[in-house]
Amino acid sequence: MVDTEARIQSLREQINEHNYQYYAQDNPSIPDAEYDLLFQELKALEEKYPEYQSPQSPTQRVGSEPLDGFRQIKHKVPMLSLDNVFDRSSLSSYIEKIHERLKADSGLEFVAEPKFDGVAISLFYHAGVLQYAATRGDGETGEDVTLNARTIKSVPLQLRGQGFPEELEVRGEILMPRAVFNAINQSSEAAGEKIFVNPRNAASGSLRQLDPAVTASRRLHLFAYSVGYFSGGGLPERHSDTLKLLDSWGFATSRLTQKVAGDSGCQSYCEELSGLRPGLDFDIDGIVFKVDRFDYQQALGFVSRAPRWAIAYKFPAEEAVTTLLDVDFQVGRTGVLTPVARLEPVFVGGVTVSNATLHNMEEVARLDLRIGDAVVVQRAGDVIPKVLRVVPERRPDDARLILSPDQCPVCGSEVISIEQQVAIRCSGAWLCPAQRKQSLKHFVSRKAMDIEGFGEKLVDQLVDKDMLKSAVDIFSLDIQDLLLLERMGDKSAAKLLKSIEHSKKTTFARFIYALGIPEVGETTARSLASNFSNVGALLNASEEELQTIDDIGPIVARNICHFLQEPKNSDLIKALLDLGLHWDSTEAIEGTADSPLAGKTVVVTGTLTRFTRDEVKELLLSSGAKVSSSVSGNTDLLIAGEKAGSKLLKARELGVEVINEDELEGWLAE
Ligand code: IVH
């Protein structure tokens, strides 16, 4: 019997330690399968010997009975709120004021912590054993969510180690990881059920479930951020050291928490954490700065409901509600019409947003959008603004349907829909000024013909004045033409003519890219340039021939053929060459003539460890190589990664030179 009790005790200790490593330290110590064995053994022993059962056992997280309501719990010390600042200069003013109040030199120490975007919780321990867990409620009284909190693996049921006060109330934030949130919403959506608006609501809803088994299934997480109350023991003199102790007692504290000094330290932390924010596992909505020394905290005290010793710097809101005023259709280079939401200007994610792309009419239908709707707009980080959803309760009676146009809003040509594609297109091609403008802007752009000083406004003016019908006209512009334009003097006109002339010497790849063939970006243009010796060869290429080039699939091959077979396009190409556009045919790619890879037809196969496929391809192309997808008599070199298969065999058969990843690096370095 004594052995059984000792074994149960030992199993509990082992499991608690593994839980701590896994949930608090994010550092799993044993494989899941081994953990499961320990857990099953403990469960079996506890079932067989009920006299040894204990509420602190790691098997006792999920109780059996659902509740019919939550009991109220009065907090021993009120749970206060934090004062906010919304920009960095207000943060500086706060830091400066604190220095003044404490008569401190400039480098006062603060603890900078993420402001977790979840639900606040208070956990009360007696002699290291969890007694109850309460929500914040109104700050004075919260709800008893003990049974639910016990199901959260990062909430210690029993504190680790020693030295904790007899009574200890720990505060922290309960969060739902973004991945869990997405998974739950995905399955709710598939089942036609209501979805959560954000991880915070999901965490809050999950914590306030009457059935703890539901809470357990939601995989919530706790980050501890302070001690609310303690007696019968002591705490360190600093908040930073208290966090370290909480960590050692079994709580998860955030790795992102840092000690910083003075305003400059706080500001650089803002910079750093804002950058990390999009990649975090959890939502955070700001940063909390806390004066580190407790004696300073005490001296600073409180103002009404918030401590003076801490401040929350709130990130600019990423979502806001505004009104959809109208939907315009923008015409792109290839004639695709894109619906664009015109919005009542709204400040979101640090900028004022008044437009957002709606991508295509399928998206408009998916959002069930009407003009006049209240819409939620999101702008996260540097990402372009997006309409997330409609607020259906706020739809006005006169909200209007958004109809797909049957005429191009710019040139009036018929709008056509393309088989098997969601996009709709203006059929006007070069007759449509919008398409012409976009094509010409693309033609002169930096990565294409790179005509310096030929900006977008200039293109707009020239097309509006009917002075540019196609790219050919660029090369017949003269000084008289240019002087007719706004803000164009002798000097800038002469300079522009010089850069037009200068651009005539280009590269084959740039020339191909400048043509604006649908789906032919820079990389594909480079592939084409290194696989065809001249324009004539490219113009004659068949779809099959194009498909042998690495990365060119059937759709891109068809686009290229269609484009080049269109008489107006082949005429344009010939006219441009007649005007003197040229490139060095021995040097297909700028500056690659010396590379050992220049001009070689290369195939890549197998798994590479140091590069992605795209990276290798990009590197090869920029060294002047041609990249092909299959090994043939034309192949000069095979780069074989791990698990190379039939291509390697074929290369050996044909006597093609084969190199591995290390050798490739050497070649590239040359
Ligand atoms: S300390 C006296 N630290 O923010 C207040 N709060 O307005 C002490 N919160 O609902 C709070 N992350 O739950 C503190 N690192 C953090 C926090 C944090 C999020 C929440 C807290 C409360 C609100 C305070």
Side-chain angles (χ1 to χ4, degrees):
M1 261 331 178
V2 177
D3 279 356
T4 310
E5 190 177 6
R7 179 65 187 157
I8 288 180
Q9 194 49 37
S10 150
L11 284 168
R12 284 179 187 160
E13 278 166 19
Q14 289 180 60
I15 292 171
N16 281 336
E17 184 58 24
H18 294 313
N19 275 346
Y20 171 71
Q21 293 299 338
Y22 189 95
Y23 293 102
Q25 301 290 308
D26 199 8
N27 178 30
S29 43
I30 53 164
D32 289 359
E34 270 175 51
Y35 175 90
D36 291 343
L37 282 180
L38 296 176
F39 200 89
Q40 293 314 327
E41 185 187 345
L42 177 60
K43 237 170 116 176
L45 283 176
E46 286 176 346
E47 263 161 38
K48 195 161 167 203
Y49 303 99
E51 63 270 35
Y52 297 131
Q53 273 181 5
S54 150
Q56 274 69 259
S57 170
T59 58
Q60 299 304 304
R61 284 192 176 270
V62 188
S64 47
E65 290 301 304
L67 300 170
D68 44 18
F70 298 108
R71 199 167 58 96
Q72 300 278 307
I73 288 185
K74 190 164 167 29
H75 299 299
K76 276 200 178 324
V77 173
M79 291 181 81
L80 303 181
S81 53
L82 288 166
D83 269 339
N84 296 314
V85 288
F86 295 95
D87 55 62
R88 301 271 206 90
S89 66
S90 311
L91 174 62
S92 292
S93 315
Y94 167 81
I95 305 280
E96 194 184 307
K97 229 171 30 220
I98 294 300
H99 278 89
E100 277 168 21
R101 278 188 177 268
L102 292 172
K103 302 194 171 52
D105 295 335
S106 55
L108 192 66
E109 285 180 322
F110 289 85
V111 175
E113 304 173 7
K115 187 167 190 307
F116 308 106
D117 198 5
V119 197
I121 195 155
S122 148
L123 301 164
F124 190 82
Y125 291 84
H126 186 268
V129 175
L130 177 66
Q131 305 295 312
Y132 62 79
T135 61
R136 178 168 181 273
D138 62 4
E140 302 288 337
T141 313
E143 283 176 324
D144 179 355
V145 289
T146 312
L147 294 179
N148 290 339
R150 289 175 60 93
T151 70
I152 301 169
K153 301 284 178 45
S154 40
V155 170
L157 301 179
Q158 160 96 58
L159 301 184
R160 292 171 86 244
Q162 54 253 302
F164 35 78
E166 176 80 358
E167 289 191 313
L168 177 71
E169 188 223 331
V170 175
R171 293 180 178 179
E173 198 88 351
I174 302 284
L175 299 161
M176 180 179 282
R178 284 174 175 165
V180 175
F181 167 78
N182 290 333
I184 292 181
N185 267 0
Q186 246 167 35
S187 59
S188 300
E189 197 167 18
E193 290 161 11
K194 217 171 136 116
I195 60 167
F196 289 114
V197 178
N198 53 40
R200 174 169 23 87
N201 286 16
S204 159
S206 303
L207 189 63
R208 299 186 67 266
Q209 286 288 330
L210 292 173
D211 183 356
V214 176
T215 311
S217 74
R218 299 285 169 81
R219 285 177 287 153
L220 299 174
H221 185 77
L222 165 78
F223 278 118
Y225 56 62
S226 70
V227 168
Y229 169 86
F230 68 100
S231 77
L235 279 188
E237 290 173 353
R238 287 173 179 265
H239 175 59
S240 52
D241 294 328
T242 306
L243 289 176
K244 281 186 201 145
L245 271 184
L246 287 176
D247 187 282
S248 75
W249 292 336
F251 292 95
T253 54
S254 172
R255 260 164 237 274
L256 299 166
T257 294
Q258 246 177 48
K259 208 145 110 172
V260 296
D263 185 41
S264 64
C266 294
Q267 297 290 340
S268 17
Y269 186 86
C270 285
E271 200 67 49
E272 199 181 321
L273 197 59
S274 308
L276 293 176
R277 185 184 182 197
L280 298 180
D281 296 340
F282 302 97
D283 277 2
I284 62 174
D285 61 345
I287 299 168
V288 185
F289 293 96
K290 301 173 181 173
V291 171
D292 194 24
R293 277 174 56 166
F294 286 137
D295 57 339
Y296 284 168
Q297 289 193 2
Q298 206 153 23
L300 288 163
F302 294 80
V303 237
S304 67
R305 308 279 309 148
R308 207 180 262 126
W309 45 262
I311 195 86
Y313 161 73
K314 295 288 279 278
F315 292 133
E318 296 198 314
E319 280 182 32
V321 177
T322 187
T323 308
L324 178 67
L325 301 175
D326 206 352
V327 171
D328 288 343
F329 287 84
Q330 239 167 32
V331 188
R333 174 160 61 85
T334 55
V336 172
L337 295 186
T338 307
V340 179
R342 304 294 176 209
L343 303 162
E344 181 76 46
V346 61
F347 193 72
V348 50
V351 295
T352 300
V353 168
S354 43
N355 302 309
T357 173
L358 294 168
H359 305 290
N360 52 52
M361 290 306 285
E362 217 165 65
E363 175 72 355
V364 172
R366 190 187 69 80
L367 292 167
D368 184 26
L369 204 56
R370 311 271 161 91
I371 292 164
D373 266 340
V375 290
V376 179
V377 177
Q378 180 188 48
R379 183 188 178 272
D382 292 335
V383 183
I384 54 167
K386 186 175 162 179
V387 174
L388 278 190
R389 60 181 176 276
V390 167
V391 186
E393 309 83 74
R394 289 177 48 185
R395 171 164 291 169
D397 292 337
D398 58 352
R400 277 186 295 129
L401 280 170
I402 299 155
L403 301 174
S404 194
D406 41 26
Q407 285 187 329
C408 170
V410 177
C411 72
S413 298
E414 190 194 349
V415 168
I416 47 177
S417 39
I418 298 143
E419 230 183 299
Q420 290 176 339
Q421 281 186 16
V422 274
I424 48 172
R425 235 170 251 238
C426 157
S427 60
W430 276 87
L431 293 174
C432 175
Q435 288 189 55
R436 212 182 308 155
K437 281 179 187 172
Q438 297 300 334
S439 302
L440 288 164
K441 285 173 191 174
H442 174 77
F443 186 84
V444 299
S445 67
R446 202 170 47 78
K447 291 176 179 170
M449 296 301 292
D450 193 20
I451 309 187
E452 218 188 306
F454 216 118
E456 301 208 344
K457 293 222 169 75
L458 193 64
V459 173
D460 287 341
Q461 275 196 69
L462 287 163
V463 173
D464 290 340
K465 290 192 189 321
D466 225 11
M467 291 161 69
L468 272 193
K469 291 210 169 48
S470 85
V472 171
D473 299 337
I474 293 175
F475 299 95
S476 29
L477 286 170
D478 62 23
I479 197 120
Q480 261 69 39
D481 294 333
L482 293 179
L483 288 174
L484 294 172
L485 304 173
E486 283 161 32
R487 269 178 283 139
M488 180 71 75
D490 285 329
K491 234 174 156 177
S492 33
K495 206 165 147 201
L496 187 61
L497 287 175
K498 213 164 147 192
S499 48
I500 293 174
E501 192 56 33
H502 189 72
S503 76
K504 285 184 179 171
K505 173 162 168 44
T506 181
T507 65
F508 192 19
R510 282 176 176 278
F511 179 75
I512 296 172
Y513 176 67
L515 295 174
I517 307 170
E519 312 231 19
V520 174
E522 264 182 294
T523 312
T524 310
R526 274 204 239 178
S527 285
L528 289 169
S530 40
N531 278 278
F532 294 95
S533 50
N534 56 47
V535 175
L538 178 61
L539 284 172
N540 289 325
S542 66
E543 279 183 42
E544 294 72 48
E545 210 176 321
L546 288 167
Q547 279 186 56
T548 65
I549 300 173
D550 196 42
D551 241 24
I552 296 188
I555 296 177
V556 180
R558 174 151 358 126
N559 276 335
I560 297 171
C561 279
H562 262 230
F563 184 94
L564 296 176
Q565 279 158 16
E566 182 77 42
K568 72 170 186 338
N569 292 327
S570 49
D571 289 351
L572 173 78
I573 292 172
K574 286 178 196 133
L576 288 170
L577 297 180
D578 286 346
L579 279 163
L581 268 69
H582 66 283
W583 49 89
D584 194 339
S585 54
T586 57
E587 190 192 350
I589 307 289
E590 292 149 279
T592 59
D594 298 339
S595 162
L597 288 158
K600 288 212 159 44
T601 300
V602 183
V603 176
V604 186
T605 189
T607 316
L608 302 179
T609 56
R610 265 156 294 173
F611 308 97
T612 66
R613 266 305 163 87
D614 283 345
E615 281 165 0
V616 170
K617 207 175 148 219
E618 188 54 36
L619 286 166
L620 290 169
L621 288 172
S622 55
S623 304
K626 304 171 198 178
V627 185
S628 169
S629 55
S630 55
V631 177
S632 72
N634 293 331
T635 311
D636 295 309
L637 182 68
L638 179 78
I639 296 162
E642 282 165 31
K643 300 204 189 94
S646 58
K647 288 184 193 172
L648 180 58
L649 292 178
K650 183 141 189 216
R652 293 242 164 89
E653 243 169 60
L654 294 170
V656 171
E657 184 174 2
V658 178
I659 63 170
N660 63 23
E661 205 174 347
D662 289 331
E663 289 165 296
L664 170 66
E665 276 196 313
W667 285 51
L668 289 169
E670 277 179 56

Short mmCIF file of all heavy atoms in Angstrom, two decimals, residues 80-82 113-117 119-120 136 172-173 225-226 288 290 302 307 309, ligand 1:
data_model
loop_
_atom_site.label_atom_id
_atom_site.label_comp_id
_atom_site.label_asym_id
_atom_site.label_seq_id
_atom_site.Cartn_x
_atom_site.Cartn_y
_atom_site.Cartn_z
N LEU A 80 -8.02 46.83 -10.68
CA LEU A 80 -8.18 48.15 -11.29
C LEU A 80 -7.91 48.09 -12.79
O LEU A 80 -7.58 47.05 -13.34
CB LEU A 80 -7.24 49.14 -10.62
CG LEU A 80 -7.44 49.24 -9.10
CD1 LEU A 80 -6.49 50.26 -8.52
CD2 LEU A 80 -8.89 49.60 -8.77
N SER A 81 -8.06 49.26 -13.41
CA SER A 81 -7.74 49.29 -14.84
C SER A 81 -6.45 50.10 -15.04
O SER A 81 -5.83 50.54 -14.08
CB SER A 81 -8.90 49.88 -15.63
OG SER A 81 -9.25 51.10 -15.07
N LEU A 82 -6.08 50.27 -16.28
CA LEU A 82 -4.84 50.99 -16.60
C LEU A 82 -5.20 52.25 -17.37
O LEU A 82 -6.15 52.26 -18.14
CB LEU A 82 -3.95 50.13 -17.49
CG LEU A 82 -3.27 48.93 -16.85
CD1 LEU A 82 -2.72 48.01 -17.93
CD2 LEU A 82 -2.14 49.40 -15.94
N GLU A 113 5.74 44.95 -20.89
CA GLU A 113 5.06 43.67 -21.11
C GLU A 113 4.05 43.83 -22.23
O GLU A 113 3.48 44.89 -22.39
CB GLU A 113 4.26 43.26 -19.85
CG GLU A 113 5.08 43.20 -18.61
CD GLU A 113 4.24 42.96 -17.35
OE1 GLU A 113 3.02 42.71 -17.47
OE2 GLU A 113 4.83 43.03 -16.26
N PRO A 114 3.78 42.74 -22.95
CA PRO A 114 2.69 42.81 -23.92
C PRO A 114 1.39 43.10 -23.18
O PRO A 114 1.23 42.65 -22.04
CB PRO A 114 2.63 41.41 -24.51
CG PRO A 114 3.84 40.70 -24.03
CD PRO A 114 4.39 41.41 -22.86
N LYS A 115 0.51 43.87 -23.78
CA LYS A 115 -0.83 43.99 -23.21
C LYS A 115 -1.67 42.92 -23.89
O LYS A 115 -2.05 43.04 -25.05
CB LYS A 115 -1.42 45.38 -23.46
CG LYS A 115 -2.73 45.58 -22.73
CD LYS A 115 -3.17 47.02 -22.72
CE LYS A 115 -4.34 47.26 -21.78
NZ LYS A 115 -5.49 46.39 -22.00
N PHE A 116 -1.86 41.83 -23.15
CA PHE A 116 -2.55 40.66 -23.70
C PHE A 116 -4.00 41.01 -23.97
O PHE A 116 -4.66 41.62 -23.13
CB PHE A 116 -2.48 39.50 -22.70
CG PHE A 116 -1.09 39.20 -22.24
CD1 PHE A 116 -0.67 39.55 -20.97
CD2 PHE A 116 -0.18 38.58 -23.09
CE1 PHE A 116 0.62 39.28 -20.54
CE2 PHE A 116 1.10 38.30 -22.68
CZ PHE A 116 1.51 38.66 -21.39
N ASP A 117 -4.50 40.59 -25.13
CA ASP A 117 -5.87 40.93 -25.49
C ASP A 117 -6.77 39.74 -25.19
O ASP A 117 -7.19 39.02 -26.08
CB ASP A 117 -5.92 41.31 -26.97
CG ASP A 117 -7.18 42.07 -27.31
OD1 ASP A 117 -7.96 42.39 -26.37
OD2 ASP A 117 -7.40 42.35 -28.49
N VAL A 119 -8.89 37.93 -21.37
CA VAL A 119 -9.77 38.17 -20.23
C VAL A 119 -8.93 38.13 -18.96
O VAL A 119 -8.18 37.18 -18.75
CB VAL A 119 -10.82 37.04 -20.11
CG1 VAL A 119 -11.95 37.48 -19.22
CG2 VAL A 119 -11.31 36.61 -21.46
N ALA A 120 -9.10 39.15 -18.09
CA ALA A 120 -8.34 39.19 -16.85
C ALA A 120 -8.88 38.12 -15.89
O ALA A 120 -10.07 37.82 -15.88
CB ALA A 120 -8.46 40.56 -16.21
N ARG A 136 -12.73 39.40 -13.60
CA ARG A 136 -12.56 40.74 -13.07
C ARG A 136 -13.92 41.33 -12.65
O ARG A 136 -14.02 42.02 -11.65
CB ARG A 136 -11.91 41.61 -14.14
CG ARG A 136 -11.71 43.04 -13.74
CD ARG A 136 -10.80 43.73 -14.74
NE ARG A 136 -10.57 45.11 -14.37
CZ ARG A 136 -11.36 46.10 -14.74
NH1 ARG A 136 -12.42 45.87 -15.48
NH2 ARG A 136 -11.10 47.34 -14.36
N GLY A 172 -3.60 37.54 -14.01
CA GLY A 172 -3.08 37.33 -15.37
C GLY A 172 -4.19 37.41 -16.38
O GLY A 172 -5.31 37.83 -16.08
N GLU A 173 -3.86 36.98 -17.58
CA GLU A 173 -4.80 37.10 -18.69
C GLU A 173 -5.01 35.72 -19.31
O GLU A 173 -4.05 34.99 -19.55
CB GLU A 173 -4.19 38.05 -19.74
CG GLU A 173 -5.18 38.61 -20.71
CD GLU A 173 -5.85 39.90 -20.22
OE1 GLU A 173 -5.67 40.29 -19.03
OE2 GLU A 173 -6.57 40.50 -21.03
N TYR A 225 0.71 38.05 -14.89
CA TYR A 225 1.45 39.32 -14.98
C TYR A 225 1.59 40.08 -13.68
O TYR A 225 2.25 41.11 -13.67
CB TYR A 225 0.88 40.22 -16.09
CG TYR A 225 -0.60 40.54 -15.98
CD1 TYR A 225 -1.12 41.23 -14.89
CD2 TYR A 225 -1.46 40.17 -17.00
CE1 TYR A 225 -2.46 41.52 -14.81
CE2 TYR A 225 -2.82 40.47 -16.93
CZ TYR A 225 -3.31 41.14 -15.83
OH TYR A 225 -4.64 41.43 -15.74
N SER A 226 0.98 39.62 -12.58
CA SER A 226 1.24 40.31 -11.32
C SER A 226 0.68 39.54 -10.13
O SER A 226 -0.06 38.57 -10.30
CB SER A 226 0.66 41.73 -11.31
OG SER A 226 -0.74 41.67 -11.27
N VAL A 288 2.21 47.25 -21.83
CA VAL A 288 2.06 47.84 -20.50
C VAL A 288 3.46 48.14 -19.97
O VAL A 288 4.33 47.26 -20.00
CB VAL A 288 1.32 46.88 -19.55
CG1 VAL A 288 1.07 47.57 -18.21
CG2 VAL A 288 0.02 46.40 -20.15
N LYS A 290 5.47 49.20 -16.61
CA LYS A 290 5.28 49.27 -15.16
C LYS A 290 6.58 49.70 -14.50
O LYS A 290 7.64 49.14 -14.84
CB LYS A 290 4.88 47.89 -14.61
CG LYS A 290 3.61 47.33 -15.22
CD LYS A 290 3.35 45.90 -14.78
CE LYS A 290 2.07 45.38 -15.43
NZ LYS A 290 1.84 43.95 -15.19
N PHE A 302 -2.04 55.78 -6.74
CA PHE A 302 -3.12 55.60 -7.71
C PHE A 302 -3.81 56.92 -7.99
O PHE A 302 -3.81 57.82 -7.14
CB PHE A 302 -4.16 54.62 -7.14
CG PHE A 302 -3.60 53.23 -6.98
CD1 PHE A 302 -2.80 52.89 -5.89
CD2 PHE A 302 -3.88 52.26 -7.93
CE1 PHE A 302 -2.29 51.62 -5.75
CE2 PHE A 302 -3.37 50.98 -7.79
CZ PHE A 302 -2.57 50.65 -6.70
N PRO A 307 -3.49 52.73 -11.48
CA PRO A 307 -2.23 53.05 -10.84
C PRO A 307 -1.48 54.12 -11.63
O PRO A 307 -1.57 54.15 -12.85
CB PRO A 307 -1.45 51.73 -10.89
CG PRO A 307 -2.03 50.97 -12.03
CD PRO A 307 -3.45 51.42 -12.16
N TRP A 309 1.70 54.19 -11.48
CA TRP A 309 2.99 53.58 -11.79
C TRP A 309 2.99 52.72 -13.04
O TRP A 309 3.97 52.06 -13.37
CB TRP A 309 3.50 52.75 -10.60
CG TRP A 309 2.46 51.86 -9.96
CD1 TRP A 309 1.75 52.14 -8.83
CD2 TRP A 309 2.03 50.56 -10.39
NE1 TRP A 309 0.89 51.10 -8.53
CE2 TRP A 309 1.05 50.11 -9.47
CE3 TRP A 309 2.39 49.71 -11.44
CZ2 TRP A 309 0.41 48.88 -9.58
CZ3 TRP A 309 1.74 48.48 -11.56
CH2 TRP A 309 0.76 48.08 -10.65
S1 IVH B 1 -1.41 44.93 -15.15
C1 IVH B 1 -3.68 47.85 -11.97
N1 IVH B 1 -0.37 43.80 -17.23
O1 IVH B 1 -5.40 45.20 -19.16
C2 IVH B 1 -3.86 47.17 -13.26
N2 IVH B 1 -2.71 44.22 -17.25
O2 IVH B 1 -6.71 47.89 -18.09
C3 IVH B 1 -2.86 46.10 -13.40
N3 IVH B 1 -3.84 43.45 -19.28
O3 IVH B 1 -8.13 43.96 -17.95
C4 IVH B 1 -2.99 45.41 -14.69
N4 IVH B 1 -2.06 42.63 -20.27
O4 IVH B 1 -6.32 42.20 -17.77
C5 IVH B 1 -1.50 44.26 -16.68
N5 IVH B 1 0.71 42.77 -18.99
C6 IVH B 1 -0.41 43.22 -18.43
C7 IVH B 1 -1.66 43.14 -19.08
C8 IVH B 1 -2.79 43.66 -18.45
C9 IVH B 1 -3.36 42.83 -20.36
C10 IVH B 1 -5.25 43.83 -19.10
C11 IVH B 1 -5.80 43.47 -17.76
C12 IVH B 1 -6.90 44.46 -17.53
C13 IVH B 1 -6.54 45.60 -18.41
C14 IVH B 1 -6.16 46.77 -17.58
#
